[in-house]
Amino acid sequence: MHESQLYPDAKVTDTNQLTRRISVTHIEQSKEESEQLPVYRLYKRRFAGLFGFILLALVTGMPWAWFGPISTDTAQAFDISIDQVNWLGNIISCVYLPVSLLVPVFCTRFGIRRCAEVGVVTLLISGWLRYAGTITSLSPESAYALLILGQFFSAISQPIFQVLGPKYSEMWFDLKGRTTATMVIAVANPVGGAIGQLLSPLIGTARQSILVLAIISTVVTPALFLIESEPPSPPTYAGSKAPQSLYSLLRAMVGKVRPDDPAYMTPHERLDFVIDTLLFGVLVGAANALSILSAQYFEPEGYSDTVSGLLGATLLLSGVLASVVTAPLFDRVLTHHLGITLKILVPIAAGAWLSLVWAVKPNNTGGLFAIMVIIGVCSLIMLPVGLELGAEVTRNADGSAAILWCAGNAFGIIFILAEGALRASATASPPYNMHSAFVLHGVLVMVVGASVVFIRAKQARREMDERMAQHLHSTRRVEAVPMYPLDTAYSGQSIRSIEKESGSIQDKDDFIPLPDKRVDVIETVVQPDS
């Protein structure tokens, strides 16, 4: 011990042996805590992976609607019926259902990259199996079997790049780009369908168009090498969480999960997801039916197969343009307005679908193109909105996407089979018209669309990410306030409480920034007046 020159009556204890250990402990704890803070980072290579996803989603979407505009030519070239041609599209929707539900299971175990590899391999197989069916020496039955088998493998590749889109955006993009990334992947598939509708009637014969589709499927395969499973550091809190299984989501949907479980959903969140699934399913199914049945919808009323293909392509491409414009707004401006968007756009889309009951008539080309634009703009904007809302209320990006896309294809099958059965007879006026099918189409979309009024659309995942980002920012902020002189502020007191908080040592209400190097803390004991 020795006397303090500043305070003669004060005894200063050299605590090299005692308090040095305490101070070092505090600083070591500070270092450990700072190392434990999560680091959120963005990587430029996320755009390369996004580009790979877009290319592969684009091409895997082509076979689904490829035969719609050339259904009559295909039936004649392969000596099969129109219903058999329709099943070239239906088989994709049927196989899509179980495969889409298996994708999140496979992804949870093997990662995004391995799923993409499976998708590319099946895409290659599908393209050349279809082309093998164009050999003229084959019987109609054998050729059709190869066409169906090729479409079967297409149905494996297509859902992989659709279902994993929201998961990839969650793993690689932050709040300012996540919705946009989900959008471009989601709309790439219908864009592929639109391109398929445009190309298939323009290339030449049905057999030649199948060869072109096989070549396109082969050329796009190197895009696989642009895709990686996950970044070294996550972009957000949601991106850092361990993936949840599809089974946990299904249990949460029926209320079999405890409130402390990460998969837990409140009753209103479960209701929101059910409504989101119905809306997404009906709107996607309605668009699928139009893509596959486009020639059968419009040719009986006097429109050519080229115009029929252009009508379907207009729906998709106008929606893509609208999605490209609006998706960045949902990331940066309308960040908490997914529910309002649904309540505005769903009624407009439903009314447009119902209007086809009266609009599909001879010499109404301009009116039909206008309706296709309205349907496309409203429906395709809701692709990323529906997918993002599903991820928001479930906190399970790939599981919710699997259920949503599965619902879309299930409704597509219902629409196609039911409307094919409602096709008028050869003696009707005009022959084989689809008026009854349009009535079913419009009424079903209107009835399901009315459920949008009950949706709340609370964006729980985004709110959690924002809270974590704010907490991380406040934790790393260093605050400093000048201390009071010891002789005026803390005379007669001992400095006893030293805590590390928000990057500083806190002494009651005063904050001292932590030094860069290790310091020794010396306890000063002030003797009372005798």
Side-chain angles (χ1 to χ4, degrees), residues 31-65:
K31 182 178 179 181
E32 290 175 359
E33 290 176 6
S34 64
E35 289 176 350
Q36 292 174 357
L37 291 176
V39 177
Y40 300 145
R41 291 188 59 186
L42 292 174
Y43 299 85
K44 291 183 179 179
R45 60 180 180 269
R46 70 189 186 277
F47 295 110
L50 181 62
F51 182 66
F53 254 97
I54 292 170
L55 287 179
L56 291 167
L58 193 93
V59 175
T60 55
M62 289 183 180
W64 150 65

Side-chain angles (χ1 to χ4, degrees), residues 480-519:
V481 179
M483 291 186 65
Y484 294 103
L486 287 174
D487 58 341
T488 59
Y490 292 104
S491 179
Q493 299 180 11
S494 298
I495 302 175
R496 302 195 183 275
S497 174
I498 302 176
E499 300 174 353
K500 189 271 178 186
E501 181 177 333
S502 302
S504 63
I505 295 178
Q506 182 184 17
D507 180 5
K508 297 191 181 295
D509 295 328
D510 298 320
F511 292 86
I512 312 171
L514 281 174
D516 294 333
K517 298 181 181 180
R518 190 185 67 185
V519 295

Side-chain angles (χ1 to χ4, degrees), residues 283-359:
L283 291 172
V284 170
N288 286 356
L290 178 65
S291 299
I292 293 174
L293 302 177
S294 57
Q296 298 165 58
Y297 277 170
F298 304 114
E299 284 184 4
E301 304 294 340
Y303 300 97
S304 67
D305 56 355
T306 301
V307 173
S308 299
L310 286 172
L311 286 168
T314 298
L315 184 153
L316 295 173
L317 294 178
S318 62
V320 168
L321 180 61
S323 297
V324 169
V325 173
T326 57
L329 296 178
F330 288 113
D331 275 325
R332 298 176 181 272
V333 181
L334 306 174
T335 54
H336 298 88
H337 295 84
L338 297 183
I340 295 175
T341 302
L342 288 174
K343 291 180 180 181
I344 293 174
L345 295 183
V346 168
I348 297 174
W353 278 115
L354 185 63
S355 70
L356 290 177
V357 175
W358 303 277

Side-chain angles (χ1 to χ4, degrees), residues 349-481:
W353 278 115
L354 185 63
S355 70
L356 290 177
V357 175
W358 303 277
V360 179
K361 58 185 179 181
N363 303 317
N364 191 30
T365 305
L368 288 175
F369 274 106
I371 294 173
M372 292 299 108
V373 169
I374 294 172
I375 293 175
V377 169
C378 295
S379 297
L380 265 76
I381 287 177
M382 284 183 286
L383 275 182
V385 170
L387 291 169
E388 282 295 291
L389 181 59
E392 292 290 341
V393 299
T394 65
R395 278 82 67 192
N396 189 332
D398 51 343
S400 61
I403 293 175
L404 291 173
W405 283 115
C406 182
N409 281 269
F411 275 103
I413 294 172
I414 294 171
F415 276 120
I416 292 167
L417 295 180
E419 292 174 15
L422 290 173
R423 186 186 303 113
S425 65
T427 59
S429 179
Y432 304 111
N433 72 79
M434 300 287 283
H435 180 76
S436 298
F438 286 128
V439 173
L440 173 67
H441 204 115
V443 170
L444 184 56
V445 175
M446 286 290 293
V447 170
V448 175
S451 65
V452 75
V453 300
F454 300 106
I455 203 164
R456 183 182 62 171
K458 181 180 180 181
Q459 295 172 234
R461 183 183 62 162
R462 175 176 283 273
E463 292 178 2
M464 182 168 56
D465 283 340
E466 291 173 346
R467 286 199 304 269
M468 289 301 296
Q470 291 173 359
H471 173 73
L472 186 62
H473 176 72
S474 63
T475 302
R476 288 175 174 166
R477 188 176 60 227
V478 176
E479 296 183 21
V481 179

Side-chain angles (χ1 to χ4, degrees), residues 13 86 187 222 394 491 515:
T13 303
N86 289 345
V187 302
T394 65
S491 179

Side-chain angles (χ1 to χ4, degrees), residues 85-101:
V85 176
N86 289 345
W87 270 101
L88 293 176
N90 286 345
I91 188 65
I92 292 181
S93 296
C94 290
V95 177
Y96 192 111
L97 300 181
V99 173
S100 63
L101 297 177

